[in-house]
């Protein structure tokens, strides 16, 4: 029997007003992400990559269509329900790490777990394990400003998966890094995704990185289509 997709976008429409004109970004876009699958989203800037990710991550409402996370339709969920769904089922990694500067790497990774109800001891142990896995465990008690760009992003990845989400969404996660560091960080991200069985949708301009994923998609005229990277 076929397994249920962990993420489905069905007939998604999204437009923005620009002066007196309307800019149609997504037009009946459809996308399905299966359990344990990694998908690269490769498309030029301005085609709607971030919009698609924001809608998939319940950060933005589409004008039409629906998003299903773990089979649950989300279009008519209230704000509190959407927040709970994001906290429990979706992990985010952005181009910039967005770590909280006043807290250590360990505390940054602990934060979503504490909010989710885990004890301080359990959160600290799991956070240290994740940082060790990402090869930044020795920097656990350093604040973000004391970490290199690659270290910051690996901490951000650890934080994104801290609550064992169903889906990991990443928007140009290596975009701010030099090529060598980007390759290293992406390898760490890929290993973590494969090891944990996470499903991931990763927007990237890097075709070499995209080819390492299970499949590639792009956006053309507001629709999601297959892409050969």
């Amino acid at each position: 029997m076929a397994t249920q997709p962990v993420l489905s976008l069905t007939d998604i429409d999204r437009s923005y007003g620009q002066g007196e004109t309307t800019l149609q970004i997504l037009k009946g876009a459809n996308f399905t992400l299966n359990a344990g699958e990694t998908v690269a989203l490769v498309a030029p800037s301005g085609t709607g990559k971030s919009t698609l990710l924001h809608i998939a991550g319940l950060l933005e409402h589409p004008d039409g269509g629906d998003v299903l996370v773990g089979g649950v339709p989300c279009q008519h969920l209230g704000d509190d329900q959407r927040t709970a769904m994001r906290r429990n089922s979706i992990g985010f990694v952005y181009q910039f790490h967005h770590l909280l500067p006043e807290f250590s790497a360990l505390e940054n990774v602990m934060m979503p777990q504490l909010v989710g109800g885990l004890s301080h001891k359990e959160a600290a142990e799991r956070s240290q394990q994740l940082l060790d896995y990402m090869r930044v465990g020795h920097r656990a008690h350093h604040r973000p400003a004391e970490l290199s760009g690659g270290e910051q992003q690996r901490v951000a990845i650890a934080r994104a998966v801290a609550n064992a989400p169903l889906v990991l969404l990443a928007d140009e996660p290596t975009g701010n890094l030099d090529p060598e560091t980007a390759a290293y960080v992406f390898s760490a991200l890929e290993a973590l995704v494969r090891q944990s069985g996470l499903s991931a949708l990763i927007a990237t301009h890097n075709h070499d990185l995209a080819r390492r994923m299970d499949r590639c998609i792009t956006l053309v005229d507001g629709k999601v289509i297959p892409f050969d990277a």
Side-chain angles (χ1 to χ4, degrees):
M1 191 171 74
T3 58
Q4 181 173 263
V6 295
L7 174 67
S8 296
L9 275 65
T10 307
D11 298 327
I12 298 295
D13 293 326
R14 188 68 174 110
S15 59
Y16 300 98
Q18 196 173 62
E20 295 181 358
T21 64
T22 298
L23 201 59
Q24 187 84 30
I25 302 298
L26 300 174
K27 307 173 189 175
N30 292 284
F31 171 70
T32 297
L33 181 66
N34 297 310
E37 184 180 36
T38 60
V39 177
L41 172 56
V42 183
S45 298
T47 54
K49 292 197 307 296
S50 293
T51 298
L52 187 76
L53 286 169
H54 288 167
I55 288 173
L58 308 183
L59 294 169
E60 189 172 329
H61 284 274
D63 299 319
D66 202 357
V67 178
L68 281 74
V69 179
V72 178
C74 299
Q75 179 67 350
H76 299 295
L77 294 181
D79 288 343
D80 289 347
Q81 293 170 303
R82 289 170 71 89
T83 298
M85 182 71 80
R86 282 196 301 270
R87 182 174 63 237
N88 298 324
S89 300
I90 303 169
F92 297 91
V93 182
Y94 299 99
Q95 185 170 345
F96 187 68
H97 57 80
H98 293 299
L99 298 173
L100 298 171
E102 65 271 31
F103 295 103
S104 69
L106 185 74
E107 290 166 336
N108 267 280
V109 181
M110 288 174 62
M111 207 71 67
Q113 299 173 76
L114 295 174
V115 171
L118 218 59
S119 72
H120 189 281
K121 182 175 182 293
E122 290 173 314
E125 288 175 354
R126 175 164 169 76
S127 298
Q128 186 64 56
Q129 289 170 356
L130 285 167
L131 292 172
D132 287 343
Y133 191 88
M134 296 301 291
R135 299 184 183 179
V136 284
H138 62 296
R139 308 286 276 164
H141 299 289
H142 291 258
R143 293 185 180 182
E146 300 170 311
L147 304 176
S148 70
E151 288 171 338
Q152 291 169 344
Q153 200 63 328
R154 280 180 279 159
V155 173
I157 291 167
R159 180 185 58 184
V161 302
N163 279 346
L166 283 175
V167 179
L168 179 68
L169 302 174
D171 194 356
E172 298 288 351
T174 60
N176 276 338
L177 306 174
D178 65 82
E180 185 177 350
T181 305
Y184 184 85
V185 169
F186 188 86
S187 293
L189 171 60
E190 184 182 35
L192 183 62
V193 167
R194 301 289 188 193
Q195 179 70 25
S196 63
L198 259 174
S199 305
L201 174 60
I202 302 174
T204 179
H205 282 109
N206 190 318
H207 288 205
D208 291 333
L209 301 183
R211 278 191 287 268
R212 291 161 57 173
M213 296 187 229
D214 294 325
R215 61 187 170 100
C216 299
I217 59 171
T218 190
L219 286 163
V220 175
D221 295 329
K223 296 186 184 298
V224 177
I225 64 170
F227 179 73
D228 183 4

